[in-house]
């Protein structure tokens, strides 16, 4: 599906999967990474096209098939900078920059499937722009609290952005998730039972999960499955999940067996 399909590009020069591995009835074939390079941070899939971007550099590549790659063009990046969030939709690939204390107010956008990238500025100020999504518009939220509070921005084209007051602006915890489903944007904290919903990406309603989040645990991933017609959020390190049919009313559950203590980094349906 556009915007959420990743390709298996690793940070080393050989892929982890052996040639012609079969996992759960799917066959994976390893290839030489793009440009024989390392430290690929972001991958994109949009309209049948692929693109990858290397961390802390201006090296990028694009492909029509995910196998044969051509180097793209990107403005030079600061050596200590890093990329935070990314999303692809509506003909654009968008990256937010910043890394924890190394806050930045810039991002990158490509309108030609990763062939060329241009820089834009978040007018809301410097932050770690780790949450980016497209619903009926682009919405970006600073996901860390290093002295800047929580900043937000919206855009109709992914190029020109306007400041948006994040509902989390006075909360010292980070925003760990932002997604769009069923006509609404949903944003949630890393380690509180507060979450927010919005029909327009600008005005937000504060809501609470039905259970308090214990100290030391964090919500880490969220996803909406159109097949199952369900929203799901999973906790990073204790096996708890929430499910919902409307993104507002949630019920909790636990991942069975040994998987309950696993560190959950990904979620897909």
């Amino acid at each position: 599906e556009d915007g959420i399909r990743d390709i298996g590009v690793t940070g080393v020069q050989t892929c982890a999967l052996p040639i012609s591995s079969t996992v759960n009835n799917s066959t994976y074939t390893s290839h030489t990474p793009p440009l024989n390079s390392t430290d690929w941070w972001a991958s994109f899939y949009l309209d049948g096209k692929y693109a990858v971007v290397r961390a802390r550099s201006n090296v990028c590549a694009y492909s029509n098939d995910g196998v044969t790659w051509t180097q793209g063009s990107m403005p030079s990046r600061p050596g200590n900078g890093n990329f935070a969030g990314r999303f692809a939709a509506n003909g654009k690939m968008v990256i937010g920059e910043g890394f924890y204390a190394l806050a930045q107010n810039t991002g990158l956008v490509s309108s030609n499937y990763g062939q060329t990238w241009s820089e834009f500025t978040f007018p809301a100020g410097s932050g770690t722009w780790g949450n980016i999504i497209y619903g009926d518009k682009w919405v970006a939220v600073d996901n860390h609290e290093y002295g800047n509070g929580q900043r937000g921005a919206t855009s109709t084209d992914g190029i020109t952005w306007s400041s948006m007051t994040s509902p989390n602006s006075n909360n010292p915890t980070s925003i760990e998730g932002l997604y769009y489903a069923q006509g609404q944007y949903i944003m949630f904290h890393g380690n509180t039972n507060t979450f927010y919903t919005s029909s327009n990406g600008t005005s937000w309603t504060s809501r609470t999960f039905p259970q308090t989040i214990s100290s030391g645990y964090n919500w880490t991933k969220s996803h909406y499955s159109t097949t199952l017609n369900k929203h799901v959020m999973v906790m990073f390190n204790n096996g708890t999940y929430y499910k919902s049919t409307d993104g507002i009313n949630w019920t909790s559950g636990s991942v069975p067996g040994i998987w309950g203590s696993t560190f959950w980094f990904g979620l897909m349906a």
Side-chain angles (χ1 to χ4, degrees):
E1 183 175 345
D2 288 347
I4 59 174
R5 177 178 174 183
D6 278 340
I7 53 177
V9 179
T10 69
V12 294
Q13 289 192 3
T14 56
C15 295
L17 291 170
I19 294 176
S20 298
S21 293
T22 299
V23 180
N24 293 331
N25 297 319
S26 296
T27 299
Y28 297 84
T29 302
S30 60
H31 301 281
T32 301
L35 313 181
N36 287 314
S37 192
T38 63
D39 202 15
W40 293 106
W41 171 85
S43 59
F44 296 90
Y45 176 80
L46 180 65
D47 300 335
K49 312 287 186 180
Y50 300 85
V52 291
V53 176
R54 199 171 76 180
R56 297 177 297 279
S57 77
N58 62 337
V59 178
C60 58
Y62 60 94
S63 172
N64 290 327
D65 58 9
V67 178
T68 301
W69 296 83
T70 302
Q71 183 164 354
S73 174
M74 176 179 288
S76 88
R77 318 311 304 144
N80 63 347
N82 212 331
F83 305 127
R86 90 275 197 226
F87 199 76
N90 199 37
K92 300 286 196 328
M93 297 174 176
V94 177
I95 294 173
E97 298 187 278
F99 183 71
Y100 293 95
L102 301 175
Q104 295 174 245
N105 68 338
T106 52
L108 296 163
V109 59
S110 175
S111 301
N112 56 8
Y113 306 107
Q115 296 182 42
T116 58
W117 296 81
S118 58
E119 185 179 84
F120 63 82
T121 299
F122 288 113
S126 295
T128 300
W129 295 95
N131 296 296
I132 298 177
I133 199 70
Y134 181 84
D136 60 351
K137 65 168 69 73
W138 290 94
V139 176
V141 177
D142 167 23
N143 73 331
H144 220 275
E145 68 275 8
Y146 277 92
N148 296 315
Q150 298 292 340
R151 307 180 188 279
T154 63
S155 173
T156 57
D157 59 8
I159 299 171
T160 302
W161 294 76
S162 300
S163 295
M164 178 265 290
T165 301
S166 168
N168 192 49
S169 58
N170 295 317
N171 195 310
T173 62
S174 61
I175 291 292
E176 293 295 338
L178 172 68
Y179 70 103
Y180 181 85
Q182 295 179 308
Q184 64 182 340
Y185 298 87
I186 300 175
M187 180 195 310
F188 63 95
H189 287 288
N191 56 357
T192 77
N193 65 335
T194 302
F195 71 101
Y196 309 98
T197 61
S198 173
S199 60
N200 58 15
T202 303
S203 302
W204 298 84
T205 300
S206 179
R207 306 181 187 275
T208 56
F209 288 117
Q211 125 186 2
T212 300
I213 308 305
S214 301
S215 176
Y217 297 116
N218 293 277
W219 295 112
T220 183
K221 292 296 178 183
S222 60
H223 183 63
Y224 175 76
S225 169
T226 55
T227 302
L228 301 175
N229 191 32
K230 280 187 172 61
H231 304 253
V232 179
M233 293 185 182
V234 294
M235 190 167 282
F236 172 63
N237 48 0
N238 84 338
T240 300
Y241 70 88
Y242 277 140
K243 61 182 178 180
S244 172
T245 57
D246 61 7
I248 296 174
N249 301 292
W250 298 79
T251 56
S252 63
S254 297
V255 179
I258 62 171
W259 301 107
S261 59
T262 298
F263 290 83
W264 296 95
F265 289 98
L267 178 67
M268 189 63 66

